Amino acid sequence: MPRATTRLALLAALLLGLVPVPASAPAGALPSARLVPLWHADVPITRDGYEHALTSRDLLVRTARGVLAFGADDGRPRWKHQLTTASATGWDLSSDVVVIDYYQPAERASGRHELVAVSSTTGKELWRRQRTSLPPGWRRSSAPRAGSPVFAVKDLETGAIRGISTGAGRDMWSFRMPAGCDVSGSAARAADVVLFLACGRSPRVLLLDAATGTTLRSIPLPAGTSPDFQVAEGMIAVSGDRAMTLFDDRGRAVLHHGECWPRCAVVRGPGLVLTTYHSGEDDVLAATSWPDGAPLWQVRPAPVYAKLVEGGIAARAGLGGFPVVDAIDPGTGAATSYTLPVPAEVLASAGQRLYVGSVIPAAGQTRRVRFSALRRLPPGRGPSLLGGVDPGRWPDACALLPGGTFSPGPPQTTLYRYTLPRSVSCRYAEPGGGSFSVRVLWIAGDADEAADMVETLGDVYAYRPAAGIGDQAVADSSPPARIYFRTGPAVVAVASGDLSVRRRLTALAGSIADRIRDAGPGVQARTALPVAPSRRLGLSRLPGTKVTVAQDITAPPVVTAYLLDGHPYVRAKGTFTRLGTKVHALSPSGAWGARTTENYPARGRDPVTLLDTGTRSVRRIPTVKAPMGVASPVWSPDGRLLLLTATDRGVITGFVIIDLATMRPRFVHVTHGERYSGAFRWGGDARTVAVQSGPESDYETADDDLDVTFFDLGGTVERRLQNVGKLIDGQKWASPSGLLFATHCPGRTSQTCLWRTADGARAARIPFEPDAFVSWYGDERFLGWHALTSQEQALAVTDFFGQPLTHLARAYGHDGLRLVAGAA
């Protein structure tokens, strides 16, 4: 069975500059142990994702296709249950029975649900029940309920909640909702059923006796509370609007955290609960006695934990973004830390084992999730953050290509505040301007482990094998822009965006591989790794919105200004002030705003209004003569020039540039305006402008036929890049360097494509909704909105695989909001 089979998939993205600053380890200590893979199993999944449950015997997995069981000890398939004509939309588990909610769509009528119960040990079918489903908003814990007599279901004919026996599926009791109430969330425990009721402005939680269906407790909740909750034996946690409240079974609010960033987490333990929350400038991990609510201990500042699971296991980012798992001592809060050798979400723990899941992207709708079991082992000679490998074995990235026309640039010896004894990254340049980068991604324990890494990299990112480079290599295209290869245990990446260098990249990578082989391992120097300090975050609500921003108090502002329904909010002395003058666009620094008129004037010149947000002074500048008018103001990257699109009766006639130094407009005429649409935008700098264009014969065409045309500032066409798709918003379409621009992907308009400004070559296709794209964040990342729940969104630094890296803000709706975000 391959070892460490998916580690490089994460490392490749992490070490290419696509990761946030990692959190520190608790108490300033380096992890003292490591994890090794025992087995893995791959399961196809759809966009609906998957769920899991761990029993004493098996790891159970539900996908849209059905339920599968794998041996918890060895990963061997035990059984599976699927219906070929239906999708598994939910499930529940008792001690020895699994009930699956299958849904079968129909062409001319609403589809039908059918519950199918199977044995959790053999997969043998026990009973079926039609015209019922699991209740709305169903939440299921990751472990079966011991001794539970019923499954809670919804009767689709009457709308009632029913309790049916686990063994035979027969009715035990029925519960009808109070008038004016709907079930928006539900769960079950061993002795009761938990219903989250939306009753107008009076939401509540009901606890029903599992055996009889009688109401045990009604817990009122504040108006507007969303059904974001978690249950465990003796505890109900309700979250929403940056806060979390923990109730006991009597309905008493035992614990409340008012600052949740990026969100509060909770896990139940024997006689206590562990919670994470934010307080002041610190993240906090705390233990509270349960159910009396007495504080036991807290770690402050604590790492930013992404998840807590049963057994006191907490997951966080470690060195260079490497996932790290902390095993928390429930008595003291001391943590034993383990580097996770796979890019994965921690699912469950049992004794010395951890179970994790890694989603592997693929083309189309089908992806895979790789379930892995890992076991704790003592560390090797080096730090566990490097998998026990001595840092002295890492070769110097700036000494891998001696001689020739390329010269190494400044070395990079740090991985986001961590320092290694040699440079891990280096950019080589030649006199003609071409360049490429070299990064030493990892030094594996042995050659077999490195081979597994490269093989998995090719699998995950759909790279193709490349011959003649080291012991093994994969590349992204031909000529390649990025190559990953190994020589012995060393795994290295080389990349270039210059077409002339890409034609030589295979040969360069081969020379580097030979150099590593000839030089052998690095000097066996023992070098300790310093641990990065914790983040110091302050949380603040943007005035007038339901958006909360997390600001590192030592870093530049995340949000420098924003527009809300046309009103600018500008930052001054750490707070935002709403200005009365509405504008359509803010400059990148927020210092200036611009607004055009709603209707073109019948005579005279069409004015544009400029707002100095610092002095609040307003100036109106006349532009083009009627019947022409201007619209769609776009600021240059440095905020010194304003670009406007001029049209006459809906046809583009040219563009207007206003220089703030002179406040004088300059109109530039363009020919064949009927071939263009949308608005002009800066071409990545202040030397060109660009506009959407279509085929010369007919602009009315599909998005996959749309082009972009670049003009110099005199109105002469410089180049036309074909079939790039619909351009995104003009203020944010181009990267800070101007080398890339973003569009709706041709033929896949729900994905974002990046293109090279110089030649129109596609640089990346990102599974990310273009309308959720906020701004660039450097040249290798961007800011975008990600859905967390049906009501909550997160603004996150996002990599070119569409994955969120760091949450910078959270929102309960952001309609009418346009952010001016700070630079990376």
Side-chain angles (χ1 to χ4, degrees), residues 203-398:
R204 70 187 76 168
V205 172
L206 284 187
L207 305 184
L208 306 181
D209 186 288
T212 65
T214 57
T215 300
L216 300 174
R217 190 76 56 186
S218 177
I219 305 172
L221 299 173
T225 302
S226 62
D228 185 3
F229 67 96
Q230 179 179 340
V231 301
E233 294 303 324
M235 181 208 76
I236 301 171
V238 179
S239 302
D241 197 17
R242 248 180 64 191
M244 179 177 71
T245 303
L246 273 60
F247 297 91
D248 64 13
D249 286 347
R250 295 181 296 166
R252 184 171 61 102
V254 178
L255 188 62
H256 178 80
H257 295 316
E259 292 191 36
C260 294
W261 187 266
R263 64 167 57 241
C264 292
V266 59
V267 68
R268 184 81 161 85
L272 56 78
V273 293
L274 293 180
T275 57
T276 64
Y277 60 97
H278 195 84
S279 179
E281 300 172 356
D282 297 323
D283 294 291
V284 181
L285 170 69
T288 303
S289 178
W290 196 263
D292 59 73
L296 298 176
W297 51 259
Q298 69 172 219
V299 176
R300 178 174 182 166
V304 181
Y305 287 117
K307 187 176 184 180
L308 297 178
V309 299
E310 293 180 5
I313 300 297
R316 61 183 173 89
L319 175 65
F322 236 144
V324 170
V325 172
D326 289 338
I328 310 296
D329 185 326
T332 64
T336 303
S337 301
Y338 306 88
T339 299
L340 196 65
V342 289
E345 177 188 8
V346 177
L347 303 178
S349 66
Q352 297 298 310
R353 287 196 179 98
L354 280 179
Y355 296 89
V356 300
S358 311
V359 175
I360 300 176
Q365 294 296 310
T366 301
R367 300 176 293 170
R368 287 182 293 145
V369 59
R370 176 163 293 174
F371 296 97
S372 302
L374 306 106
R375 181 165 56 91
R376 306 176 195 178
L377 282 184
R381 295 180 59 223
S384 295
L385 286 171
L386 297 181
V389 174
D390 194 315
R393 293 184 60 194
W394 288 54
D396 188 338
C398 286

Side-chain angles (χ1 to χ4, degrees), residues 105-161:
E107 291 185 3
R108 300 183 179 277
S110 59
R112 65 184 183 91
H113 284 266
E114 182 177 31
L115 297 180
V116 179
V118 301
S119 167
S120 64
T121 57
T122 66
K124 180 181 178 181
E125 194 167 304
L126 302 177
W127 50 263
R128 293 192 177 202
R129 179 165 177 145
Q130 296 182 347
R131 296 182 293 278
T132 53
S133 69
L134 291 176
W138 179 250
R139 305 282 199 279
R140 192 199 54 74
S141 64
S142 60
R145 300 190 305 277
S148 178
V150 302
F151 290 122
V153 301
K154 180 182 180 180
D155 188 317
L156 297 178
E157 293 183 339
T158 67
I161 300 297

Side-chain angles (χ1 to χ4, degrees), residues 501-532:
V501 177
R502 289 173 57 187
R503 295 191 180 103
R504 293 173 282 164
L505 200 61
T506 297
L508 291 168
S511 298
I512 293 171
D514 293 341
R515 174 71 174 171
I516 295 174
R517 179 182 289 110
D518 295 341
V523 178
Q524 299 294 313
R526 298 302 303 275
T527 305
L529 297 177
V531 177

Side-chain angles (χ1 to χ4, degrees), residues 44 240 281 351 365 475 568 606 727 755:
E281 300 172 356
Q365 294 296 310
D606 192 15
L727 306 180
W755 309 85

